[in-house]
Amino acid sequence: HPGDHGIIRTDFPGGWEGDPVNALTGENLSAEQADMQDFFRQLLNWRKNRPVVHTGGMKHWTPEQGVYSIGRIGNGEAVLLLMNKSEEARAVDWSRYEELLRGRRKGTHALSGETLTLDESLSVPARGLLLIDVEPRDPNALELQEELQQEDAEWE
């Protein structure tokens, strides 16, 4: 019903006397709720410590086979987010992201810490995501200074 705002006006669970569930302390959360809270805590802490997410240039790629992609790049750092809304895992065509990767084929899964090789063996899980910290380029390497400045300018 278009005029019914009941669900968005419900009290936040916790902080009120007699609340059976407290999302502030984690008391009496279901396993699924606790997992989601942990996921967001981990994601937000990762985001807080990645300047490229806040200040880097951004690019969106056209969705392909249900996979939506966003990249951020700046000061030698790059982050790539691949979100798969399909019911099947999807292989990644890394050539699509070459302007972000620039030959780099290593990264770290931002949430699991797993080291990744960005090749044909890596896929985006069904109804899942890959959040990749791409292997950084050294912004202090003199031979890369001009190239990194040009790279940053291209992404602004």
Side-chain angles (χ1 to χ4, degrees):
H1 183 280
D4 183 9
H5 296 280
I7 192 69
I8 63 172
R9 294 177 186 250
T10 56
D11 287 338
F12 184 82
W16 302 101
E17 191 174 318
D19 280 351
V21 174
N22 189 332
L24 298 170
T25 65
E27 183 180 350
N28 294 326
L29 291 178
S30 70
E32 184 179 30
Q33 290 169 324
D35 286 347
M36 186 57 66
Q37 195 175 60
D38 287 342
F39 170 80
F40 273 102
R41 183 178 294 112
Q42 187 177 13
L43 179 64
L44 294 172
N45 280 320
W46 170 84
R47 182 185 185 280
K48 177 174 57 177
N49 295 308
R50 292 300 179 283
V52 70
V53 173
H54 307 280
T55 60
M58 181 167 59
K59 177 171 178 145
H60 300 257
W61 283 267
T62 305
E64 198 171 271
Q65 293 187 336
V67 177
Y68 180 67
S69 313
I70 304 170
R72 302 290 306 240
I73 193 167
N75 199 32
E77 294 185 322
V79 172
L80 181 61
L81 173 62
L82 305 169
M83 299 173 283
N84 180 5
K85 70 176 191 170
S86 72
E87 297 293 332
E88 299 174 6
R90 296 288 188 212
V92 179
D93 175 5
W94 296 105
S95 66
R96 291 188 75 203
Y97 309 107
E98 191 53 39
E99 67 184 291
L100 177 131
L101 297 173
R102 307 224 179 202
R104 296 174 285 186
R105 292 294 180 262
K106 297 278 185 205
T108 304
H109 192 294
L111 301 177
S112 72
E114 176 187 0
T115 299
L116 303 172
T117 299
L118 310 181
D119 63 15
E120 64 279 346
S121 68
L122 188 61
S123 62
V124 187
R127 302 199 53 80
L129 62 85
L130 282 177
L131 180 54
I132 303 167
D133 275 320
V134 179
E135 179 178 55
R137 300 173 83 187
D138 183 359
N140 298 315
L142 293 177
E143 66 274 10
L144 288 178
Q145 286 295 320
E146 188 174 318
E147 186 178 338
L148 289 173
Q149 287 173 355
Q150 180 180 352
E151 183 178 272
D152 288 353
E154 290 173 8
W155 279 70
E156 287 182 352

